[in-house]
Amino acid sequence: MLDRPAHIDDETPDTFTGNRALDQEEPLLFEIGRTDATGVDVDEPPQFATRLGGLERKDQIGLPGLSEPEAMRHYVRLSRKNYSIDAGLYPLGSCTMKHNPRANEKLARLEGLADLHPLQPMSSVQGALELMETLAHWLLTLTNMQAIALSPKAGAHGELCGMMAIKSAVAARGEGATRNVVLIPQSAHGTNPATAALLGFSVRVVPAAEDGTVRAAAVREALGPDVAALMLTNPNTCGLFEREIIEIADAVHDAGAYFYCDGANFNAIAGVARPGDFGVDAMHINLHKTFSTPHGGGGPGAGPVVLSERLAPFAPVPFVRRNGESLELVEHAEGTQSFGRMTTFHGQMGMFVRALAYLLAHGGDGVAQASKDAVLSANYVRASLRDVMSQPFGDRLCMHEVLFDDAWLKGTGVSTLDFAKAMIDEGYHPMTIYFPLVAHGAMLIEPTESESKASLDLFIATLRDLAKHAKEGDAKRFTQAPRLAPRRRVDETAAARKPVLRWSAG
């Protein structure tokens, strides 16, 4: 374990500018520019007749005018205040913030891929369709599922897609009016009950066992003729593998319901275990997690949904289909059991390029190795911190992420939030806190496979040092953190309840 220097109070004097060397204080745009001036010279336009029919603007737009250097400096300075996976370890649990290979980024910007238009003739996009077909093939291979929808734009959108397929399947059996309940474990992602409720389902909670997992007996007890589906994450949000997953799937199917698996944590098992073998009927795959495409991707993300044979007929359009030697997009649902269309175009083509590049670069053995390394990294963090931080479900092997709670902070005057804020002063983005809700004061850490042992050692040593100071009674270091960030701690409750959404010089 690395030795770190003792914490030194910040005694740096104030400066006239507010800047501290390259850490530059940056005002708001409204404080830099003037709303009555422009940063560029623009000639008066010639006389013209408006075609806005009385809808033209009557007042000044009220935006500050900046020159190009002022605008450029403003956004460059702001960018220096961002934390990113390129800046350091990003330990957010349940988010899988892994390295985005630059080779993938370069490929996504290739001419012919980056400039595709969704209304091009089908004959001119055969290469793009082949890329989508190839990606679909490998996602289906890794999951052992029957059909896939590439159109969902993110994980929650994918959840909606999968649950819409389930709702359509239930309706096709004539049970749409009676099967109106979805079972969801206590530890589920918040999007699960939100998605179910959005589609008109009622939510019935399945309690977690003392070890943080879901028991098949608890699922059986909650099942009934009114249940349409179970939404379960595996590995779950406590970072634990659901050991009774096959028994749970059998119970769900025996009751006439469907099994939706939240695929947010696929990075722990990709290439090692296939969800289709568990009895899963639908699962979304976050390409921005498991397959390294950037979160958000600078636009639409991608959350493809894989479907079992039971649900394949209800897959949404559009989808790629081979027609002889060529490929086509099936655009219409008429004459099929498809629930229809979720989105007009595959606007996240760049995400498909990045994900396929990742898959082809790694191969089946490389994808499996990444999963194993992610699990190894999480257990290394767990084993290195178990003597100073407490685990709500005991000291046991975890999967891709390790969960701690706040029991070890009792009597220190330091909360989970305080501990997270102190990590900012140390140069780290905090881990996910207060989630999952089944752990009090949760601290969920997911290092992924991207980090080297040296990187993990420094992170672990930092958390050990913080834990040491918390237990020694140095509460001030935590309750006043962050002290070294561009902005000190804000009242987050007031900011959420009383947001200031309009600039005012007063």
Side-chain angles (χ1 to χ4, degrees):
M1 205 58 66
L2 300 178
D3 291 323
R4 306 300 299 162
H7 183 74
I8 301 174
D9 286 337
D10 179 29
E11 298 177 352
T12 305
D14 292 336
T15 60
F16 177 78
T17 58
N19 300 336
R20 296 171 62 178
L22 294 179
D23 181 10
Q24 294 172 305
E25 178 68 16
E26 184 60 16
L28 299 175
L29 281 175
F30 286 93
E31 296 171 309
I32 301 172
R34 292 164 40 197
T35 59
D36 61 344
T38 177
V40 295
D41 292 329
V42 179
D43 295 334
E44 285 292 327
Q47 291 296 320
F48 62 92
T50 178
R51 292 182 290 175
L52 295 177
L55 297 178
E56 61 269 19
R57 177 169 51 84
K58 302 296 193 300
D59 300 318
Q60 293 296 316
I61 196 169
L63 294 178
L66 275 71
S67 66
E68 182 174 325
E70 287 175 320
M72 179 62 71
R73 287 171 184 163
H74 175 72
Y75 288 107
V76 167
R77 288 172 178 174
L78 289 183
S79 72
R80 293 170 61 89
K81 302 180 190 303
N82 290 339
Y83 195 90
S84 68
I85 194 66
D86 292 336
L89 187 152
Y90 220 126
L92 280 175
S94 199
C95 282
T96 315
M97 301 291 285
K98 62 198 286 182
H99 173 64
N100 308 135
R102 289 307 175 267
N104 301 359
E105 298 299 307
K106 186 174 183 179
L107 290 172
R109 289 165 172 76
L110 285 176
E111 185 178 355
L113 291 173
D115 56 0
L116 284 170
H117 193 282
L119 296 180
Q120 284 183 228
M122 204 75 70
S123 60
S124 70
V125 291
Q126 288 295 300
L129 294 180
E130 183 177 357
L131 186 150
M132 293 166 62
E133 182 191 45
T134 306
L135 173 63
H137 167 76
W138 290 118
L139 294 179
L140 290 171
T141 300
L142 285 168
T143 57
N144 191 26
M145 299 289 265
Q146 182 72 25
I148 189 168
L150 291 175
S151 56
K153 298 294 188 284
H157 203 212
E159 281 181 26
L160 184 65
C161 175
M163 290 303 294
M164 288 175 74
I166 288 174
K167 187 167 186 174
S168 297
V170 170
R173 294 186 341 211
E175 298 179 307
T178 55
R179 288 192 181 270
N180 50 23
V181 173
V182 171
L183 304 184
I184 297 180
Q186 280 179 317
S187 61
H189 290 108
T191 53
N192 291 179
T195 297
L198 180 65
L199 291 175
F201 290 110
S202 297
V203 172
R204 185 177 298 160
V205 177
V206 179
E210 290 185 359
D211 66 355
T213 63
V214 175
R215 291 285 187 266
V219 174
R220 289 193 194 97
E221 186 176 342
L223 284 166
D226 59 345
V227 174
L230 165 73
M231 298 183 77
L232 179 71
T233 308
N234 192 32
N236 67 26
T237 52
C238 299
L240 304 172
F241 191 84
E242 295 287 356
R243 291 171 294 178
E244 297 186 13
I245 188 72
I246 294 178
E247 295 90 333
I248 290 171
D250 289 343
V252 169
H253 294 147
D254 290 344
Y258 293 92
F259 179 10
Y260 184 92
C261 183
D262 185 322
N265 297 336
F266 193 44
N267 197 56
I269 61 172
V272 178
R274 303 184 302 181
D277 297 342
F278 304 154
V280 170
D281 290 306
M283 185 184 86
H284 75 266
I285 302 172
N286 300 77
L287 297 189
H288 62 274
K289 293 185 176 187
T290 307
F291 301 108
S292 85
T293 73
H295 275 61
V305 174
V306 288
L307 302 169
S308 69
E309 187 175 1
R310 301 178 187 91
L311 291 179
F314 305 95
V317 294
F319 58 84
V320 179
R321 180 172 65 189
R322 185 163 287 279
N323 184 8
E325 294 298 315
S326 63
L327 293 163
E328 62 181 359
L329 272 181
V330 177
E331 297 274 8
H332 302 289
E334 289 80 0
T336 74
Q337 290 181 291
S338 170
F339 69 75
R341 182 185 294 270
M342 290 197 72
T343 181
T344 306
F345 303 119
H346 288 93
Q348 69 277 51
M349 188 67 195
M351 301 300 105
F352 299 157
V353 176
R354 292 174 173 92
L356 182 59
Y358 179 90
L359 279 166
L360 295 179
H362 283 72
D365 57 339
V367 170
Q369 189 64 53
S371 297
K372 294 174 183 177
D373 288 348
V375 173
L376 176 64
S377 294
N379 279 284
Y380 183 56
V381 172
R382 177 190 60 79
S384 300
L385 294 175
R386 61 186 171 189
D387 62 323
V388 294
M389 296 171 67
S390 52
Q391 301 171 68
F393 304 113
D395 185 24
R396 49 186 293 209
L397 287 174
C398 61
M399 294 297 289
H400 60 301
E401 55 193 350
V402 55
L403 177 63
F404 298 102
D405 63 12
D406 63 355
W408 67 278
L409 286 171
K410 186 176 181 180
T412 64
V414 176
S415 68
T416 290
L417 179 64
D418 296 331
F419 190 82
K421 295 295 186 185
M423 289 176 64
I424 297 174
D425 279 337
E426 296 289 346
Y428 286 106
H429 192 289
M431 70 286 279
T432 296
I433 61 173
Y434 299 120
F435 177 80
L437 299 178
V438 291
H440 191 276
M443 290 175 257
L444 187 60
I445 299 173
E446 182 177 0
T448 81
E449 74 282 2
S450 301
E451 301 301 327
S452 66
K453 182 177 181 296
S455 173
L456 293 178
D457 282 339
L458 179 58
F459 176 72
I460 291 164
T462 302
L463 264 59
R464 291 186 66 88
D465 182 70
L466 288 172
K468 173 176 174 288
H469 281 268
K471 292 178 178 180
E472 289 177 348
D474 188 8
K476 184 178 178 181
R477 173 176 177 177
F478 298 86
T479 57
Q480 294 185 0
R483 298 179 303 105
L484 306 178
R487 289 293 176 268
R488 302 286 290 272
R489 189 187 297 208
V490 299
D491 185 337
E492 295 174 349
T493 301
R497 293 180 179 176
K498 300 178 180 178
V500 179
L501 303 178
R502 184 183 296 273
W503 159 254
S504 173

